[in-house]
Amino acid sequence: MASRETSVGNEQTAFVEGVPPLLTSEVIAERVREMGAAITRDYEGRSLVLVAILKGSFIFAADLVRAIALPVRIEFLGVRSYGQGTASSGVVQITQDLNNPIEGEDVLLVEDIVDTGLTVAHLLELLRTRLPRSLKVCALLHKPARLCTPVPIEYLGFIIDDHFVVGYGLDRAEAYRNLPYIGILE
Ligand code: IMP
Ligand code: MG
């Protein structure tokens, strides 16, 4: 059986060439635990609907739900911003809608990264029309250098410099999502 020690040991050598680490899996795990604890505190006595934005946030959301000690429901919102490049177009296409209503619910939008802010701004507008009781944003990463539309991020994992990053769910043209760490694409 693989031990924890083995996987920690592998982490040292598992960085992919051309993708040097920015945030290791240990650093991410610790921060996700803290974010889950903060959410648990803030929503005490309530239940929560997490709306994970696909595809990028699927790994973050999977770890985050397990760090939240409250009754939670998880919904997925499939989104694609057009293009294969490293610049966000800001044009958001919904590829999969929620399966259930969120009216009257406390909703937390879970996003991998807020870059220009256009995606989250667009989705907040969309979800508000569904009349949730409350609607807040939880993002693992934020690149303030490129922000065009200010969006409130109640729970933020890390502020990063203006690099294109991949791993832990984040992709470049669908590749690298499975890296256990977040690295800079050189
Ligand atoms: P925004 O609309 O510019 O805030 O872009 C948000 C979306 O662009 C994110 O949900 C990601 O899918 C993608 N994105 C922005 N920056 C990066 C990055 O550095 N790596 C991978 N995807 C990114
Ligand atoms: Mg995304």
Side-chain angles (χ1 to χ4, degrees):
M1 200 178 78
S3 69
R4 279 171 197 280
E5 286 72 23
T6 304
S7 59
V8 169
N10 284 346
E11 177 70 25
Q12 310 306 317
T13 53
F15 301 128
V16 167
E17 217 184 303
V19 191
L22 179 66
L23 300 163
T24 64
S25 58
E26 289 83 359
V27 166
I28 298 167
E30 178 57 28
R31 188 71 188 116
V32 172
R33 269 194 295 274
E34 289 171 3
M35 295 170 84
I39 292 165
T40 302
R41 258 195 324 273
D42 293 352
Y43 290 87
E44 198 195 335
R46 285 143 78 181
S47 61
L48 198 55
V49 179
L50 295 197
V51 173
I53 303 172
L54 297 177
K55 300 175 189 172
S57 76
F58 81 110
I59 293 178
F60 174 44
D63 285 343
L64 184 68
V65 281
R66 287 177 286 181
I68 298 174
L70 295 171
V72 300
R73 185 149 79 69
I74 181 117
E75 291 286 331
F76 297 103
L77 194 55
V79 156
R80 180 162 57 212
S81 42
Y82 294 111
Q84 301 280 299
T86 57
S88 173
S89 65
V91 181
V92 180
Q93 181 188 0
I94 304 292
T95 57
Q96 187 194 308
D97 203 348
L98 307 181
N99 283 333
N100 297 289
I102 54 166
E103 185 171 349
E105 305 277 6
D106 288 306
V107 174
L108 195 55
L109 194 59
V110 179
E111 177 59 306
D112 52 359
I113 182 165
V114 176
D115 182 16
T116 62
L118 293 165
T119 303
V120 165
H122 180 89
L123 296 179
L124 284 175
E125 210 175 293
L126 172 76
L127 293 181
R128 269 193 210 104
T129 66
R130 314 266 175 101
L131 307 176
R133 176 178 184 234
S134 68
L135 178 58
K136 291 185 174 175
V137 176
C138 176
L140 182 63
L141 306 173
H142 178 34
K143 271 193 260 187
R146 291 168 38 84
L147 194 68
C148 329
T149 309
V151 287
I153 308 174
E154 271 81 11
Y155 303 97
L156 176 60
F158 304 93
I159 292 177
I160 64 168
D161 289 338
D162 189 11
H163 302 294
F164 195 83
V165 292
V166 294
Y168 195 71
L170 291 113
D171 73 310
R172 162 72 202 276
E174 297 300 325
Y176 304 112
R177 291 195 198 275
N178 60 330
L179 298 186
Y181 65 99
I182 292 173
I184 296 171
L185 194 68
E186 288 181 325

